[in-house]
Every structure is written in C-alpha cells, then in structure tokens.
Amino acid sequence: MAARSLIGIDLGATKIYATLLDGREVVAETKAKTPVRGGPLAVVEALRRAVEALGAPRKARLVGLGVPGAVDADGATVRSAPNLAGWVGPFDMGGALSDALEGRTVVVENDVNVGVYAEHALGVAHGAPDVLGVFVGTGVGGGLILDGALRRGPTGMAAEIGHVVVRPEGRACRCGGRGHVEAYAGRAAMERRARTLESRGRDTVLVDLAPARRMTSSVFARALAANDALAAELIEDAVAALGLAIAGAVTLLDLPLVVVGGGLADRLGADFVGRVEAVVRERVYRDSPVQVSPTALGDRGGAIGAALIAERRAS
Ligand SMILES: [Zn+2]
C-alpha cells in the first residue's frame, strides 16, 4: 500500500508550523505567524494559507491540528484557548477548518498531547508503554500515555502538570491558583517575575536583552551564558518546581520515562533536562529507575503528532 499523505499543523501562541507527511516522512513544511487580532476566524484563515503554502496534494485528505487549549473529546471543539488572542468560549475549530480546506477531515487535539503522541510514535519514547511528557514553553503543559494510549480523562484535563501545586500559597498562577508549577517554570511567568524584580531595583541583563519585546527562551539562554544571577535563580526555581511535580507523578504511576520538551527546555538543552532529572531522582519514592529525557523531535513533534493522531482517529 502506498504511504498515506497527511497534513499536520501545530498552532502555537506565536507561530504556526505546518507539515506534509508522506507516511512517516516529512516532505514539506512551512511556518507562519499566529494572528494576534481577529480571533478564531483569523486563525482559521492563517491555517488555510499555511496548508496552501505546503502545496499539499488533493489526496492529502486528513489534517491533524494541535492547539494550545482545552479540546473536547469530539476532536473538533476548542473549549478555551487562553494563549490565543481574542478567543472567547467554545469554537468548532474542526468544522471551520474543514470548511476552509475544501472538506478535508480535520482532527483537533491539545498541543501537548500531540507532542507526546509523536515522541511515543516516532521519538525518544518509541516502544515505551507508559510515558509522561512535560512541555515547558510560554506555559507548562503535560500529556500522558498509559499502556500505549493517550489518557485524556473525563474532562480532558489529564496530566495538566503545570497546575499542580508545588508551593502552597506560592506565586500567583495565571489560572487563578497559587503555587502552581507554571507560576515558576512557565516562560511568561518567569518574564513577569524578572520585570517586577528589575523594576524594584534588581540588576539583570534579562530586561536589557528584551526591553520592550517578549523575553524569549533565547533571552534566558543568553542571560544564563552571561552569568546573570537573576536568570540563574529563575531557572533554579523552574527546575525545582518541575522536578517536584514530576517526581510526584512518577511515584503515583510508576513511570519509567518522562520526556521534557517545549521551547524553553529545547533551547536550554540537555543540561536543563538533566537538572530536572536530578531533582526527580532526589524526590521520587525509593529506587525508581525513571529516566528524564529531552525530546527527539524538537519543535516538529507537535505537527507530526497531530497528523498521526488524525490518521489513528480516522482509521
Ligand atoms: Zn495554574
């Protein structure tokens, strides 16, 4: 049988990455900016253009889309997407994108779930029955595969490790809670903290490197390389928060493997992931053989996983 042609798209808070797969092989890819105005309809139009830019053949009838938000089990409705501008209430993303793409079948899934799915299908977790994926970027997301199947939970919130409490009454999380992992390890929270402390007189190159624009993962990497004390402190807090929450999950589920990816983790590399692993080993119950590993697919994983999930659900 000829390899199937699949389209996979990773819709991020800032960029869109679209890919064309022939079987398991990436044969075309394209990047675009996520619209910051116009809400879901503007996003649909940007996604349509990205698919057009791929030059996808007509026979590529299946489209997988990963979105940074809560997706219903129907694989179409995005219930909320706080990281996307102007997104209010539930939106039938699957239906709208299918209409925009000449009736192609569209399957929508949470962006972290698709990333973990890809690592399990083709990446570092290939062949592992159980794996927890933790993606550290603007926020902190998690995805869980148990006995080879993605665990969504009745509300689709399974593995939301970014909102596990690691410090009771700790820093405010943008979800409204306190002391959550994301309040320490999410890039946006780290940026807020850096700007607040700098405005109170703390010396740091972080703000000099990103005076008016977003404090990207590269900015944190450059500040660390320059031995910036505040950057080191923020990363230390992030490592501690991630390690503590991951250790709890490992103890609870007896997980042999945890994959840590996302923009910040990918940029800071194996050193960052190794430090998280050290905290996990220190905190986990007894002699768990757990390994904490960087991703194999990097920022391509989301789009590839979205395509593979679409294929699985449509078969
Ligand atoms: Zn939270």
Side-chain angles (χ1 to χ4, degrees), residues 6-9 17-21 27-31 48-57:
L6 302 166
I7 296 167
I9 314 172
Y17 172 74
T19 178
L20 178 64
L21 264 69
V27 291
E29 55 189 348
T30 182
K31 280 182 182 166
R48 188 194 65 75
R49 279 200 213 132
V51 170
E52 200 172 79
L54 278 179

Side-chain angles (χ1 to χ4, degrees), residues 160 162-165 171-183:
E160 278 291 355
H163 303 284
V164 163
V165 177
R171 278 180 216 156
C173 185
R174 66 192 162 149
C175 74
R178 279 205 168 270
H180 293 179
V181 172
E182 186 170 298

Side-chain angles (χ1 to χ4, degrees), residues 113-283:
N113 284 352
V114 296
V116 178
Y117 193 85
E119 291 296 330
H120 183 257
L122 301 176
V124 69
H126 181 68
D130 305 318
V131 60
L132 170 68
V134 179
F135 285 70
V136 189
T138 307
V140 177
L144 181 63
I145 288 181
L146 292 177
D147 297 327
L150 194 62
R151 170 76 188 172
R152 305 184 88 261
T155 65
M157 296 289 180
E160 278 291 355
I161 199 163
H163 303 284
V164 163
V165 177
V166 285
R167 293 195 198 178
E169 308 314 315
R171 278 180 216 156
C173 185
R174 66 192 162 149
C175 74
R178 279 205 168 270
H180 293 179
V181 172
E182 186 170 298
Y184 297 91
R187 196 200 45 72
M190 288 163 61
E191 171 169 355
R192 274 198 305 277
R193 182 80 180 159
R195 293 197 191 281
T196 302
L197 292 177
E198 196 263 353
S199 73
R200 289 182 196 157
R202 184 82 191 260
D203 196 28
T204 175
V205 300
L206 282 166
V207 175
D208 304 331
L209 290 170
R213 58 189 176 81
R214 208 163 58 92
M215 214 173 267
T216 58
S217 299
S218 295
V219 167
F220 281 97
R222 283 158 64 196
L224 280 181
N227 294 319
D228 185 79
L230 179 58
E233 199 176 293
L234 290 169
I235 295 296
E236 182 64 37
D237 285 352
V239 164
L242 289 164
L244 202 56
I246 291 171
V250 167
T251 298
L252 191 68
L253 299 168
D254 190 14
L255 295 170
L257 177 64
V258 178
V259 178
V260 176
L264 190 64
D266 288 348
R267 186 64 185 75
L268 298 180
D271 174 63
F272 177 78
V273 178
R275 286 172 63 190
V276 172
E277 183 178 58
V279 177
V280 173
R281 287 182 183 276
E282 195 185 316
R283 300 284 184 180

